[in-house]
Amino acid sequence: MEWFKRVKRGFATQVKKELPNGVWIKCDHCGEILYKKELDRNLNVCTKCDYHFRINSDGYISLLADKGTFKEFNSNIKSIDKLKFKDSKKYSDRLKDAMHKTGLSEAVRTGTCTTNKIPVVLTVMDFRFIGGSMGSVVGEKIARAADKSLETRVPLIIVSASGGARMQEAALSLMQMAKTSARLGMLEDAKVPYISILTHPTTGGVTASFSMLGDVILAEPGALIGFAGPRVIKQTIGQDLPDGFQRSEFLLEHGFVDAIIHRKDMKERIRQILTFFPIEDTATGK
Amino acid sequence: MATNYVLEFEKPIAEIEKKIAELREYSISEDIEIQNEVERLEAKAQKLRQETYSKLTRWQRVQLARHPERPYTLDYISRMIDDFVELHGDRSFRDDPAIVSGIGKLDKMPVAIIGHQKGRDTKEKLRRNFAMPNPEGYRKALRVMNLAAHYGRPIICLLDTPGAYPGIGAEERGQAEAIARNLREMSHLPVPIIIVVIGEGASGGALGIGVGDRILMMENTWYSVISPEGCAAILYRDAANAPQAAEAMRVTPNDLLEMGVIDKIIEEPPGAAHNDYDQAAAIIKKAIKEEIESLQDIPPKILIKNRIEKFGKMGFWSE
């Protein structure tokens, strides 16, 4: 455990990459000053270097769902602080603040919609809500989204953006990894397709459960994807990490994602992929 | 059994034990007075042991779970499994010594048994990577579990890891994928799976071989989403606050029973498992046997359904 003792600063949650409300925005990657409206038009991808700014759940829903088709379900499920967890702040306060700040009820939104006219169950994580961490509610909502796919025999799409399991729910969070994976196993058995989309960042218990279980796994360019955080690894092995370590391109090279897809192409690629599966057949229950 | 490594809160007991041992050395002649004194001290030690171990703090249990003389997976296997044959390697990359897997008999019942394995001395610790598996460890475990499932044999998993290894190679070879796959596959294996936390249950590294029909924890163990040190480093900005983090995360068997995560707590011999390997092994063997017997006649489809539902119920929310 020596390697833990050396941990001093912990994980930064990189809130700095949130888009400020200014007119001009500096690209985190190439430093180019970008006109915000232009950036919005370009799906929050840098017009100069293709850096993918993080977008929230609204952004991803409007990217993938046909206009006006997204119908959210289970948004009434809310976290409770069963353990009365407190660090520098009470967990119950942290939840309240996150809800207030984001207007969301939790770090994941689940709903039905069509994408290119194909009906899907769309599940989108939101990093703004306590780092997109998975507690009981995130696990439960994802499990129920899988159930919905299974019942209606409609493909499941999950867009991941998460720092991992939520520490404030301790063992309860951990068990959500098993819960979600078990339910996805049912989808697999029933031959209902599941597409996993990994965005920046996807780490920890989320990567080590539902995110890595897609029939097809896609990633946005340059996303941090891994099990252990880079800081922990660096502290463990005591040396610098190679350039591009744990980025989408690294995972592609090592065989853990099927393809890296530019945000502007994501919807079309998903259409192409979905048409491979016998969806018409399954939708009628054959 | 007197042990060489004594935790701070065990010291008063260890002192009395030392005195008893000294007195015994002098009492080769049947000196009644010394005999009486020994008996008095033994009673005192017993009482102190009971007092100490019945009101351990969460952090003290974490320390016991990590006790350097605590029995490890192979110590249990050698005491409770007959005809044990270790099966090595993931058939893809290499053998990971941080996880031991194999087949054998639990009394006369053929079983597969898998567990994290810590090392006892420095050389062995390094070889076992402190029981921190790489992806191939999880893949080996799954291979052996599939073998058991294929031939209808129950599976026993013993959990004792400070976490999956956070290294470059582990990431390159898909640590996350290996764990995720195990979670999905274990939830669908058509044979009884019994999980026992015998020491440390840290995070996905533990859960990666921890999905089963019954989850048991020995009395002096811990199980959570991250180690107390890791949690403290992140939330309290200092790993030294680990005792506090252990309290906040509620990592002990009693806590997890209350949360509905585990099914049962296995009592340890007086003075914890490291004081009596044989008895500790006998106790967990009995517990595992009972659980397997209670599951044996359940049809595979129902077994799997129940297992998925078991994990489905975990967690708390309002709606």
Side-chain angles (χ1 to χ4, degrees):
Chain A
M1 247 72 49
E2 281 305 309
W3 53 274
F4 265 134
K5 288 188 184 147
R6 273 180 260 134
V7 176
K8 275 283 184 284
R9 280 172 306 144
F11 302 108
T13 40
Q14 300 192 350
V15 259
K16 63 175 190 285
K17 280 183 187 164
E18 259 343 296
L19 290 180
N21 292 324
V23 177
W24 298 96
I25 286 165
K26 190 175 168 187
C27 175
D28 291 339
H29 186 251
C30 69
E32 179 79 358
I33 306 294
L34 305 159
Y35 184 43
K36 184 163 186 317
K37 278 193 179 156
E38 182 64 25
L39 187 62
D40 284 345
R41 262 197 296 278
N42 202 40
L43 305 168
N44 287 299
V45 175
C46 175
T47 47
K48 189 163 173 238
C49 74
D50 266 351
Y51 172 81
H52 283 51
F53 284 82
R54 185 187 293 133
I55 54 175
N56 60 34
S57 50
D58 282 331
Y60 239 95
I61 289 166
S62 63
L63 184 75
L64 296 183
D66 296 336
K67 207 168 178 200
T69 62
F70 186 74
K71 290 194 184 62
E72 193 167 345
F73 56 76
N74 287 329
S75 59
N76 57 326
I77 308 181
K78 296 207 171 84
S79 292
I80 49 178
D81 180 16
K82 183 69 181 170
L83 307 186
K84 305 263 175 290
F85 192 100
K86 187 171 176 284
D87 46 273
S88 58
K89 206 170 172 183
K90 280 190 198 159
Y91 176 42
S92 51
D93 290 342
R94 227 176 255 277
L95 285 167
K96 265 183 234 153
D97 289 355
M99 285 184 217
H100 181 74
K101 195 184 95 189
T102 61
L104 302 170
S105 60
E106 251 298 337
V108 72
R109 293 165 74 189
T110 58
T112 54
C113 68
T114 61
T115 177
N116 279 309
K117 302 199 173 114
I118 305 166
V120 294
V121 171
L122 180 60
T123 294
V124 183
M125 301 191 80
D126 198 309
F127 193 80
R128 295 172 303 166
F129 198 102
I130 317 187
S133 57
M134 172 162 66
S136 300
V137 172
V138 170
E140 183 65 17
K141 285 176 83 169
I142 286 174
R144 290 194 198 180
D147 293 350
K148 184 85 167 178
S149 273
L150 187 65
E151 280 160 29
T152 54
R153 301 200 61 90
V154 147
L156 174 67
I157 298 174
I158 301 180
V159 180
S160 295
S162 171
R166 190 173 293 170
M167 269 177 289
Q168 291 87 345
E169 291 189 32
L172 297 171
S173 309
L174 183 66
M175 296 304 148
Q176 305 310 313
M177 293 169 63
K179 177 194 282 187
T180 52
S181 304
R183 300 282 255 284
L184 289 171
M186 293 171 74
L187 276 195
E188 192 195 24
D189 282 354
K191 297 192 167 70
V192 176
Y194 159 40
I195 298 176
S196 175
I197 301 172
L198 313 180
T199 71
H200 179 74
T202 300
T203 60
V206 165
T207 321
S209 60
F210 59 86
S211 293
M212 275 293 159
L213 294 175
D215 289 309
V216 176
I217 304 177
L218 307 176
E220 283 199 339
L224 178 75
I225 303 161
F227 176 66
R231 256 181 227 91
V232 173
I233 298 172
K234 201 172 155 185
Q235 270 144 3
T236 306
I237 60 172
Q239 60 190 49
D240 285 334
L241 301 173
D243 277 349
F245 181 62
Q246 292 184 314
R247 296 289 162 178
S248 306
E249 297 71 16
F250 173 93
L251 273 92
L252 183 77
E253 189 191 327
H254 287 93
F256 290 98
V257 299
D258 288 292
I260 295 173
I261 311 290
H262 192 288
R263 197 174 281 161
K264 69 174 162 44
D265 302 325
M266 193 62 90
K267 190 172 180 180
E268 173 59 12
R269 282 289 179 278
I270 285 175
R271 184 194 68 78
Q272 292 172 327
I273 291 164
L274 286 177
T275 51
F276 168 81
F277 298 102
I279 292 162
E280 254 58 64
D281 292 356
T282 55
T284 53
K286 273 182 221 160
Chain B
M1 188 173 106
T3 60
N4 301 317
Y5 186 91
V6 180
L7 294 167
E8 199 54 42
F9 63 88
E10 293 179 308
K11 274 186 183 156
I13 304 168
E15 266 165 35
I16 299 175
E17 278 171 348
K18 200 173 145 208
K19 237 185 240 169
I20 295 171
E22 281 169 6
L23 282 174
R24 282 219 170 110
E25 247 174 65
Y26 293 121
S27 67
I28 303 158
S29 59
E30 295 282 309
D31 188 324
I32 285 293
E33 249 173 62
I34 291 180
Q35 284 292 332
N36 284 345
E37 179 64 7
V38 166
E39 269 173 36
R40 194 185 67 78
L41 285 175
E42 269 175 352
K44 196 177 161 192
Q46 185 58 28
K47 193 167 163 251
L48 198 58
R49 234 181 249 130
Q50 253 166 18
E51 276 174 20
T52 308
Y53 290 99
S54 64
K55 51 167 200 208
L56 292 173
T57 65
R58 293 186 171 95
W59 180 242
Q60 284 170 335
R61 283 207 203 274
V62 171
Q63 288 174 297
L64 278 175
R66 295 170 176 170
H67 197 292
E69 284 163 12
R70 195 169 171 85
Y72 299 149
T73 290
L74 283 172
D75 299 311
Y76 287 116
I77 287 179
S78 64
R79 283 168 180 78
M80 65 180 196
I81 302 290
D82 303 318
D83 293 339
F84 177 70
V85 179
E86 186 172 349
L87 303 176
H88 294 272
D90 68 343
R91 294 286 195 272
S92 172
F93 180 65
R94 71 187 279 267
D95 183 45
D96 185 352
I99 288 183
V100 165
S101 59
I103 51 176
K105 315 253 168 25
L106 183 73
D107 287 337
K108 292 195 172 99
M109 185 197 305
V111 294
I113 183 159
I114 290 149
H116 302 100
Q117 179 65 40
K118 291 182 174 175
R120 200 62 72 181
D121 57 32
T122 306
K123 200 176 150 202
E124 186 71 0
K125 278 180 181 151
L126 289 171
R127 190 170 85 81
R128 301 279 183 193
N129 200 26
F130 304 88
M132 293 189 283
N134 275 282
E136 47 275 16
Y138 296 103
R139 292 180 182 131
K140 168 173 74 174
L142 184 60
R143 177 176 79 81
V144 173
M145 288 190 259
N146 278 328
L147 180 74
H150 194 63
Y151 292 99
R153 303 307 191 201
I155 298 164
I156 302 163
C157 294
L158 306 181
L159 273 46
D160 187 14
T161 179
Y165 186 60
I168 291 180
E171 295 290 323
E172 282 175 337
R173 298 191 297 279
Q175 188 76 286
E177 190 273 347
I179 293 172
R181 178 184 297 268
N182 278 21
L183 302 183
R184 184 181 67 191
E185 299 301 309
M186 288 183 84
S187 69
H188 280 70
L189 291 176
V191 293
I193 308 174
I194 312 296
I195 311 295
V196 187
V197 183
I198 59 166
E200 302 191 78
S203 186
L207 188 63
I209 56 167
V211 178
D213 304 296
R214 294 281 188 274
I215 307 170
L216 317 178
M217 275 177 93
M218 296 189 76
E219 213 180 330
N220 298 304
T221 61
W222 68 271
Y223 196 4
S224 197
V225 69
I226 188 169
S227 72
E229 285 82 356
C231 175
I234 298 164
L235 292 182
Y236 302 86
R237 304 275 149 186
D238 189 354
N241 292 325
Q244 231 178 306
E247 289 296 317
M249 289 199 296
R250 308 196 183 206
V251 299
T252 65
N254 274 321
D255 298 320
L256 274 84
L257 193 66
E258 229 172 82
M259 289 180 216
V261 169
I262 65 163
D263 299 289
K264 207 170 172 181
I265 300 170
I266 303 177
E267 262 183 52
E268 293 185 18
H274 62 270
N275 258 301
D276 193 337
Y277 282 26
D278 292 340
Q279 207 190 331
I283 297 170
I284 86 166
K285 180 179 176 181
K286 185 166 167 277
I288 291 169
K289 249 188 99 177
E290 279 172 15
E291 299 299 347
I292 293 180
E293 278 161 8
S294 76
L295 295 164
Q296 244 170 355
D297 298 327
I298 302 175
K301 270 195 177 163
I302 308 288
L303 194 68
I304 293 167
K305 185 173 160 273
N306 291 348
R307 193 183 303 143
I308 295 169
E309 274 172 16
K310 174 188 180 63
F311 284 88
K313 282 185 198 138
M314 291 183 192
F316 292 90
W317 57 84
S318 66
E319 60 182 305

